[in-house]
Amino acid sequence: MKLHEYHARQLLSEYGIPIPSGEVVFNSKAARTAFSRHASPNCVVKVQVLMGGRGKAGGVQKVKNPEEAGVFTDKFLGKLFSTYQSAGEGKIVKSILITEDKPIREEYYLAIVVDRAKNQPVILFSKEGGVEIEEVAAKNPSAIHKIHFSPNKLPSSEQILSSIQPLYSNSALPRQIVSITEKLAKLFLEKDASTCEINPLALVEGDRVLALDAKMVFDDNALFRHPEIQAMKDPEEEDERERKAKESGLSYVSMNGNVGCLVNGAGLAMATMDMIKLAGGEPANFLDVGGGATTAQVSEGFKIILQDPHVQAILVNIFGGIMKCDVIAEGVIQASREIKHQVPLVVRLEGTRVEEGRALLKNSNLSIISCQTIKEAAEMSVKKAKEYALAHAHSY
Amino acid sequence: MPILIDKNTKVICQGITGKAGSFHSEKCLEYGTKLVGGVTPKKGGSFVGKIPVFNTVREAVQSTGATASMITVPAPFALSAILEAVDNGIRLVVCITEGIPTLDMVKAVEYAQAKGVRIIGPNCPGIITSDECKIGIMPGYIHKKGSVGVISRSGTLTYEAVWQLTSAGLGQTTCIGIGGDPVIGTGFIDLLEMFEKDASTRSVLLIGEIGGSQEEEAADFIQNKMKKKVFAFIAGITAPKDKRMGHAGAIVSGSSGSAKEKISTLEKKGITIIRDLSEIGSSVKNHVCLKTSLP
């Protein structure tokens, strides 16, 4: 789960990490008032959307008077916003953050993530902040300093200081950074974060270090013990279909193709999408109905897939292990009857009692196309999608 | 001799009175696993089928001599279940539970490693040594005794691969699902090392997916340390960036973890990549036949 910047600021502040003064606004009148409250003498206005690359897309600007703050707010609020990182997908801007404008002298990078290779949280610090850390990692990996630590024990000040001190000629600055790092590590562990990133961590006038922007992601699996984090969730973080799927215990990700697919198991679902691509088509989605695949889940899965108007064929690929293929076939037939879909349905079953399952599909009097191998099924669904598209085009 | 578990391994199930625990414990028993007991606090003295239930792991281990545990408790209780197993004589923990907080697993893995206990999973189908012992939720009948070792990050995709091997007449030694989470107890490399040493395993099939860099690290190991033939299949060529594909660990973040990158790294290190899901069985078989027909 991702947090909006204004929520992330709130958390940083709770943990005593210094941030520039500011507030979130939901209309242009409030934006003008907020400007007057935080001007130093200028302000920075930032659209609040859960995507990277806001600055390059014009969503972060300096404003010089209340009027400009109001104009910026009117321009973006309630409108679709997208960046080069959002892959063409837009999100409605629902709030604007206004902060004092602090002239920046230096920009650093500070983050805590879980290092999967070492099975431990790791602090990442770089003097080269303000840019994407991937760029730094690619160009100059030695500029990123890493400190691993155990979740049972916060890293000591000395431990952090020994990594950061050598990068600076004085000691006041490193001490400020160490203090911020310790607080961030505490936040990371106490709130079950998976990413806490401050970029830039800025050195401003008066030799003060401030968190100018923050990106925070929390472990979905741990939200059950953090109602306070859950309360900050933006329901529109995921698209509506993804959210609905999750509520039914399904895992769905929408994509740009025209062949919908419904599969049991995440790995098999990805591999099935790859087979659609290999057969010359494009998958419309990722959909994992879970290892079991019950009638209710298959039915719900169909409904979600069919809400996507681009879907021109559905490929069902189920490996019946513990759940027998004939039971699954019954489920597919029942779901198909219930939904009354127009698009072609290609089904490939494999596993326990597969012959019985295939016979059921064949005798169902529904126009279900049953295939034996996944290759055959992928090719068939791509072909059927093309035919459907053609037939559909002629009907206009 | 296969790896990790065999016909003599004594197993308990933590969470045996739950729906998944009781169902799969019975299935393991049917397969021939020495599933000698189960643990659910406050349900000690009862039975699941013929399997005795104990209040604690300590009691279960003392009464049965079990050395392995299958964990099916709900995610919020998984950390304490793992710690209890580690503290009370279990040497191999197979954690089936999905949805465990990442930092809980970091703690569990750190603790188990310090005590020399191996964790498999979490969020995995488990381990099976064909015709000897099954600790997990995979369908038993798809497996057949043979000489291919299988290591995988997913569930049903593994069943599909194993089924293709079996249908092609190729049996397996041991098949391990290592789990789809960001932090797991045992990765590819430890298992590859065991398969390399295991006399009954002649080749290994590795099934990877997007996210992390485990496959790339495994590639180095295979190139430098392994003589046995390794085949690899990587799922998720079409997976979009920054989207979690079901498994918590299956996410392409920024420029790292993509299937393309993994495939190219594995290929550079001389590992045979199977690109077409439907050709897993036939690809391994072609190689085996080719090899045996050579003088």
Side-chain angles (χ1 to χ4, degrees):
Chain A
M1 178 198 143
K2 292 180 192 155
L3 277 198
H4 278 298
E5 184 191 355
Y6 70 94
H7 280 138
R9 275 168 49 92
Q10 199 179 311
L11 267 184
L12 291 176
S13 173
E14 255 176 56
Y15 277 81
I17 296 171
I19 52 171
S21 87
E23 66 188 276
V24 66
V25 296
F26 303 92
N27 60 61
S28 55
K29 187 169 168 250
R32 284 189 281 267
T33 323
F35 179 92
S36 313
R37 234 191 319 266
H38 303 288
S40 62
N42 298 326
C43 275
V44 177
V45 283
K46 299 166 132 184
V47 297
Q48 298 294 287
V49 283
L50 294 168
M51 54 179 77
R54 290 175 304 170
K56 282 182 187 151
V60 177
Q61 279 170 32
K62 185 184 284 198
V63 287
K64 296 195 177 75
N65 52 54
E67 205 38 51
E68 282 183 19
V71 168
F72 177 91
T73 305
D74 280 334
K75 183 179 168 194
F76 287 103
L77 207 63
K79 314 240 166 51
L80 271 180
F81 183 83
S82 63
T83 72
Y84 71 100
Q85 285 186 22
S86 66
E89 207 184 318
K91 290 244 160 87
I92 302 271
V93 179
K94 290 185 295 186
S95 57
I96 306 283
L97 175 69
I98 301 188
T99 68
E100 62 179 323
D101 179 36
K102 285 280 187 190
I104 298 169
R105 280 174 29 204
E106 284 180 19
E107 293 183 299
Y108 316 129
Y109 175 93
L110 174 66
I112 305 181
V113 295
V114 173
D115 182 348
R116 295 170 61 161
K118 291 217 159 92
N119 281 350
Q120 268 199 326
V122 60
I123 296 163
L124 303 170
F125 178 80
S126 175
K127 275 188 90 175
E128 299 178 27
V131 289
E132 272 191 62
I133 198 65
E134 274 101 352
E135 284 174 32
V136 179
K139 269 191 240 148
N140 186 13
S142 65
I144 302 172
H145 304 271
K146 298 180 181 179
I147 308 163
H148 287 88
F149 63 99
S150 158
N152 291 312
K153 199 168 158 276
L154 281 164
S156 68
S157 313
E158 292 71 34
Q159 196 188 348
I160 306 170
L161 193 63
S162 67
S163 294
I164 292 175
Q165 180 66 70
L167 310 174
Y168 294 88
S169 53
N170 68 19
S171 68
L173 205 52
R175 285 199 189 281
Q176 280 191 63
I177 296 169
V178 167
S179 157
I180 291 172
T181 306
E182 283 182 292
K183 287 163 180 160
L184 194 66
K186 190 158 181 274
L187 188 164
F188 183 89
L189 294 182
E190 285 181 359
K191 302 290 185 189
D192 277 291
S194 44
T195 301
C196 284
E197 184 185 77
I198 300 178
N199 190 22
L201 180 68
L203 174 65
V204 298
E205 58 196 4
D207 282 335
R208 288 181 65 215
V209 179
L210 294 181
L212 288 200
D213 194 0
K215 181 181 147 199
M216 289 192 190
V217 186
F218 294 86
D219 182 357
D220 290 329
N221 290 343
L223 286 179
F224 71 89
R225 56 190 178 205
H226 300 292
E228 76 290 356
I229 300 289
Q230 226 169 346
M232 294 192 252
K233 187 175 177 70
D234 179 352
E236 277 157 47
E237 176 184 343
E238 301 149 311
D239 84 26
E240 202 197 318
R241 277 167 285 155
E242 292 177 17
R243 192 165 70 239
K244 263 191 89 178
K246 210 182 254 178
E247 281 164 16
S248 321
L250 310 177
S251 176
Y252 173 88
V253 175
S254 72
M255 291 178 58
N256 298 324
N258 62 343
V259 180
C261 49
L262 182 154
V263 188
N264 65 334
L268 191 59
M270 275 190 273
T272 303
M273 286 158 52
D274 295 348
M275 286 302 288
I276 292 170
K277 177 95 174 173
L278 209 60
E282 289 290 340
N285 64 278
F286 163 91
L287 176 59
D288 169 16
V289 296
T294 62
T295 304
Q297 283 171 321
V298 172
S299 178
E300 197 52 44
F302 277 162
K303 279 184 205 157
I304 289 162
I305 290 175
L306 288 166
Q307 275 169 15
D308 177 352
H310 303 111
V311 168
Q312 289 166 325
I314 300 177
L315 167 57
V316 173
N317 183 23
I318 306 262
F319 192 94
I322 301 289
M323 185 70 108
K324 313 272 185 291
C325 284
D326 50 348
V327 179
I328 291 160
E330 295 269 18
V332 171
I333 291 164
Q334 202 183 317
S336 173
R337 283 214 174 98
E338 245 176 70
I339 308 294
K340 296 195 186 66
H341 55 90
Q342 302 288 312
V343 302
L345 175 61
V346 179
V347 179
R348 184 261 181 166
L349 298 176
E350 189 53 89
T352 328
R353 292 175 67 85
V354 66
E355 295 308 326
E356 289 84 344
R358 285 182 190 147
L360 279 169
L361 291 178
K362 198 175 166 198
N363 301 328
S364 68
N365 292 325
L366 290 167
S367 51
I368 296 174
I369 305 148
S370 171
C371 293
Q372 298 228 356
T373 68
I374 178 59
K375 186 176 200 151
E376 200 186 309
E379 282 166 358
M380 180 61 82
S381 57
V382 171
K383 180 170 159 246
K384 287 288 165 190
K386 275 185 192 144
E387 287 172 12
Y388 183 84
L390 218 56
H392 211 69
H394 283 309
S395 70
Y396 281 115
Chain B
M1 174 65 195
I3 70 167
L4 289 167
I5 56 171
D6 60 25
K7 58 182 185 302
N8 299 315
T9 308
K10 284 187 183 167
V11 187
I12 57 166
C13 172
Q14 287 172 263
I16 192 163
T17 54
K19 200 175 149 198
S22 58
F23 179 82
H24 289 293
S25 290
E26 302 247 32
K27 291 278 171 196
C28 290
L29 202 58
E30 270 172 37
Y31 191 76
T33 305
K34 287 202 168 123
L35 203 128
V36 293
V39 176
T40 299
K42 294 181 192 146
K43 301 230 169 128
S46 64
F47 286 84
V48 167
K50 286 180 181 157
I51 309 165
V53 179
F54 301 88
N55 283 320
T56 64
V57 172
R58 177 184 298 239
E59 285 169 36
V61 167
Q62 276 169 0
S63 311
T64 64
T67 56
S69 176
M70 171 165 88
I71 294 187
T72 60
V73 303
F77 312 111
L79 172 60
S80 66
I82 295 173
L83 300 186
E84 189 190 348
V86 171
D87 276 337
N88 289 284
I90 296 295
R91 308 301 303 158
L92 174 69
V93 172
V94 181
C95 188
I96 308 298
T97 305
E98 72 172 277
I100 302 175
T102 304
L103 290 179
D104 284 6
M105 274 321 293
V106 172
K107 289 178 188 167
V109 171
E110 186 181 281
Y111 195 74
Q113 265 168 6
K115 300 241 175 167
V117 173
R118 179 168 296 286
I119 297 177
I120 300 285
N123 188 14
C124 76
I127 322 175
I128 182 167
T129 288
S130 301
D131 294 347
E132 296 194 29
C133 181
K134 165 175 123 107
I135 307 179
I137 60 172
M138 65 288 276
Y141 78 94
I142 61 172
H143 298 262
K144 173 186 153 159
K145 203 161 195 61
S147 63
V148 184
V150 181
I151 317 172
S152 170
R153 280 174 68 186
S154 48
T156 47
L157 176 56
T158 319
Y159 310 163
E160 168 83 36
V162 166
W163 181 244
Q164 283 186 30
L165 290 175
T166 297
S167 304
L170 297 168
Q172 309 88 39
T173 48
T174 303
C175 176
I176 305 108
I178 61 174
D181 279 1
V183 170
I184 52 174
T186 303
F188 285 132
I189 293 178
D190 282 5
L191 298 166
L192 286 168
E193 197 173 5
M194 288 180 218
F195 276 133
E196 178 71 8
K197 285 183 192 149
D198 171 40
S200 59
T201 302
R202 280 156 66 188
S203 57
V204 180
L205 172 63
L206 186 149
I207 300 169
E209 63 186 28
I210 57 162
S213 55
Q214 284 191 65
E215 290 81 0
E216 288 89 332
E217 287 147 24
D220 272 336
F221 180 85
I222 295 165
Q223 188 185 35
N224 299 322
K225 303 275 170 67
M226 284 188 77
K227 293 205 175 73
K228 287 178 186 172
K229 177 81 183 170
V230 178
F231 300 86
F233 176 86
I234 307 289
I237 293 270
T238 47
K241 247 169 87 166
D242 289 325
K243 288 281 189 182
R244 169 179 162 170
M245 306 304 272
H247 296 155
I251 182 161
V252 182
S253 41
S255 55
S256 74
S258 75
K260 274 200 185 102
E261 202 178 329
K262 287 173 189 292
I263 288 173
S264 100
T265 307
L266 286 162
E267 242 170 6
K268 267 185 221 145
K269 310 251 156 139
I271 293 132
T272 305
I273 297 285
I274 303 168
R275 285 168 196 277
D276 185 331
L277 169 66
S278 62
E279 288 172 5
I280 291 179
S282 55
S283 301
V284 180
K285 184 168 183 167
N286 285 344
H287 174 80
V288 171
C289 293
L290 205 68
K291 213 174 164 192
T292 43
S293 66
L294 288 173

